[in-house]
């Protein structure tokens, strides 16, 4: 799934989520958990939203679709009927996430995944306003957002400065093929290849190196540094990561004739991409979450990190003090998923930005 601007790309997202199985499950689960409640649905695309509405109507439930291409008069008419109770369910695509106030809403259906915590909270926030006679709200998450970002009501400690931006430095690469010796930066490279996820045919003496690459997270900075094969733009060769033999790529798969090490033009490869795809169907039932889980645990660790970092800045402590305070409260297994980038150099620096 392509990511653009920190979130899933709209076109690809709509195609992934607009499946009959998922759309049908939305209606079935609504009938089980929230029948009769005023409901808002957040869809992945206009077509996806319209298909959801069709399914609700087919089940005899008054429903309507909203999107930004409709006239103001048409949108206002649907919202008016919704507030009066003539319509129970309204599905939308990128139009009711903010600046929309309907406190009587009591059910939110998340039918689009997002990598953005802010968008997740905006969508859930539509049903979290108080209103006379309202006893609470229910969120039906068909996109896995709550598992990734945690429930909307959990306390979060925010930092105004945000993450620091790293200056991008272009490193110069040298080609050591006899007779070439070209110097170039990566954007000038002929092509970029990656050590393949599995190495079934590699020569036994290089098996230990293959295991190292197989254990790496293919999205990590370490993998970027160690497993990238950059092709020289001058001679179209590169040095094998396993044995140092010079290779010249052809096709979508590259195998070193010396050690049988394999390379792929696709960094993630199919099996890795499948692990990161948003859900396309819901086999089984929705599960009632009590606010505990991996995402909630990560938020608690981040909250404590931000609290301790503020104290360190006030007192002039180094970042190492923050890290050791965290280690007293949380296990290594709890800390590493939140701070996979942390290295010893980081702890020695001042806590001030």
């Amino acid at each position: 799934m392509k990511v653009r601007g920190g979130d899933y790309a709209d076109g690809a997202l709509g195609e992934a989520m607009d499946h009959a199985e998922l759309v049908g499950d939305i209606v079935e689960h609504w009938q089980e958990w929230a029948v009769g409640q005023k409901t808002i649905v957040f869809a992945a695309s206009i077509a996806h939203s319209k298909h959801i509405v069709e399914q609700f109507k087919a089940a005899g439930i008054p429903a309507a679709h909203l999107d930004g291409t409709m006239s103001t008069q048409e949108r206002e008419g649907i919202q008016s009927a919704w507030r009066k109770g003539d319509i129970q369910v309204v599905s939308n695509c990128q139009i009711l996430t903010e600046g929309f106030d309907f406190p009587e809403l009591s059910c939110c259906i998340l039918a689009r995944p997002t990598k953005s915590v802010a968008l997740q909270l905006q969508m859930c926030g539509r049903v979290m306003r108080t209103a006379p006679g309202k006893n609470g709200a229910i969120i039906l998450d068909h996109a896995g957002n709550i598992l990734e970002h945690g429930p909307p009501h959990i306390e979060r400690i925010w930092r105004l400065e945000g993450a620091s931006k790293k200056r991008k430095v272009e490193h110069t690469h040298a080609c050591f093929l006899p007779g070439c010796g070209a110097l170039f930066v990566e954007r000038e490279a002929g092509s970029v290849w990656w050590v393949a996820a599995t190495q079934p045919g590699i020569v036994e003496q290089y098996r230990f190196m293959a295991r190292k690459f197989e254990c790496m997270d293919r999205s990590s900075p370490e993998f970027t540094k160690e497993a990238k094969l950059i092709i020289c733009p001058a001679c179209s060769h590169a040095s094998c990561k396993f044995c140092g033999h010079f290779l010249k790529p052809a096709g979508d798969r590259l195998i070193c004739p010396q050690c049988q090490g394999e390379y792929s033009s696709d960094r993630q490869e199919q099996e890795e991409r499948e692990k990161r795809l948003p859900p396309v169907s819901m086999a089984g039932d929705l599960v009632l979450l009590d606010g505990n889980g991996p995402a909630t645990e990560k938020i608690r660790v981040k909250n404590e990190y931000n609290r301790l970092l503020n104290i360190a800045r006030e007192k002039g402590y180094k970042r190492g003090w923050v890290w050791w305070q965290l280690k007293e409260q949380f296990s290594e297994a709890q800390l590493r998923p939140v701070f996979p980038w942390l290295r010893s150099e980081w702890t020695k620096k001042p806590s001030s930005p």
Side-chain angles (χ1 to χ4, degrees):
M1 178 66 65
K2 291 183 179 179
V3 175
R4 186 181 300 121
D7 206 351
Y8 296 113
D10 291 338
L13 178 62
E15 291 179 11
M17 297 301 293
D18 195 13
H19 285 252
E21 297 91 344
L22 178 56
V23 172
D25 284 343
I26 287 172
V27 177
E28 292 177 12
H29 288 133
W30 182 87
Q31 291 173 319
E32 179 182 353
W33 292 90
V35 66
Q37 297 190 35
K38 289 186 173 70
T39 300
I40 185 170
V41 183
F42 292 98
S45 67
I46 292 176
H48 183 216
S49 178
K50 289 179 177 179
H51 291 158
I52 291 172
V53 168
E54 288 171 4
Q55 290 292 317
F56 271 106
K57 288 182 174 179
I61 300 156
H65 158 80
L66 283 177
D67 68 66
T69 66
M70 300 167 69
S71 67
T72 301
Q73 184 178 3
E74 190 176 4
R75 293 201 304 266
E76 289 178 350
I78 290 172
Q79 291 186 42
S80 176
W82 194 16
R83 293 176 190 275
K84 291 176 183 177
D86 297 334
I87 295 174
Q88 278 191 288
V89 178
V90 169
S91 181
N92 81 104
C93 178
Q94 298 183 346
I95 193 172
L96 299 178
T97 51
E98 56 182 298
F100 170 70
D101 187 26
F102 187 2
E104 289 76 18
L105 285 176
S106 56
C107 177
C108 170
I109 297 177
L110 301 176
R112 61 149 296 163
T114 179
K115 297 177 74 68
S116 167
V117 177
L119 179 57
Q120 154 79 355
L121 295 178
Q122 284 176 329
M123 293 188 292
C124 294
R126 298 311 101 200
V127 298
M128 296 181 71
R129 304 279 183 90
T130 59
K134 185 175 176 180
N135 296 318
I138 185 167
I139 297 169
L140 302 181
D141 183 9
H142 284 260
N145 292 333
I146 289 176
L147 290 177
E148 181 170 353
H149 302 302
H153 61 275
I154 193 170
E155 181 185 5
R156 301 168 193 260
I157 298 176
W158 303 94
R159 293 167 56 199
L160 293 177
E161 66 268 22
S164 60
K165 292 185 178 179
K166 292 184 178 180
R167 184 181 174 186
K168 189 173 182 180
V169 179
E170 285 194 305
H171 298 285
T172 301
H173 300 272
C175 178
F176 295 102
L177 179 72
C180 181
L183 297 175
F184 58 95
V185 293
E186 187 173 329
R187 58 185 167 83
E188 299 171 339
S191 59
V192 174
W193 292 72
W194 303 90
V195 173
T198 57
Q199 300 290 334
I202 197 164
V203 174
E204 186 60 34
Q205 70 185 87
Y206 299 106
R207 171 58 53 191
F208 75 99
M209 295 181 67
R211 282 196 291 268
K212 180 187 80 168
F213 287 118
E214 288 170 357
C215 292
M216 283 184 184
D217 178 357
R218 297 181 72 86
S219 62
S220 68
E222 180 187 17
F223 187 80
T224 302
K225 181 180 179 181
E226 300 288 337
K228 184 189 292 185
L229 191 73
I230 300 176
I231 307 301
C232 172
C235 67
S236 301
H237 284 79
S239 177
C240 176
K241 292 290 182 179
F242 298 102
C243 67
H245 183 78
F246 285 97
L247 312 170
K248 189 171 184 179
D252 294 329
R253 202 81 175 178
L254 176 63
I255 299 178
C256 175
Q258 185 77 18
C259 68
Q260 298 302 305
E262 294 190 31
Y263 297 86
S264 171
S265 58
D266 181 357
R267 172 171 180 159
Q268 296 297 348
E269 298 200 289
Q270 183 64 29
E271 60 270 24
E272 289 292 322
R273 286 201 309 276
E274 288 174 355
K275 294 177 185 176
R276 290 166 172 79
L277 282 175
V280 296
S281 67
M282 295 292 290
D285 298 320
L286 293 180
V287 177
L288 184 64
L289 297 179
D290 60 2
N292 294 314
T296 305
E297 188 171 87
K298 282 186 178 182
I299 292 169
R300 291 187 181 123
V301 173
K302 288 180 180 179
N303 284 346
E304 184 62 8
Y305 165 75
N306 288 332
R307 186 185 73 82
L308 290 169
L309 191 61
N310 288 333
I311 294 174
R313 286 173 175 169
E314 290 174 2
K315 297 184 178 292
Y317 296 159
K318 289 187 176 180
R319 293 171 176 174
W321 177 85
V322 176
W323 179 243
W324 287 109
Q325 293 293 319
L326 287 172
K327 289 188 73 173
E328 289 183 2
Q329 299 180 51
F330 303 99
S331 68
E332 188 80 7
Q334 290 173 306
L335 293 173
R336 280 300 167 192
V338 183
F339 307 107
W341 43 264
L342 193 143
R343 299 290 184 272
S344 60
E345 295 81 7
W346 181 89
T347 63
K348 299 174 184 177
K349 295 180 180 179
S351 55
S352 300

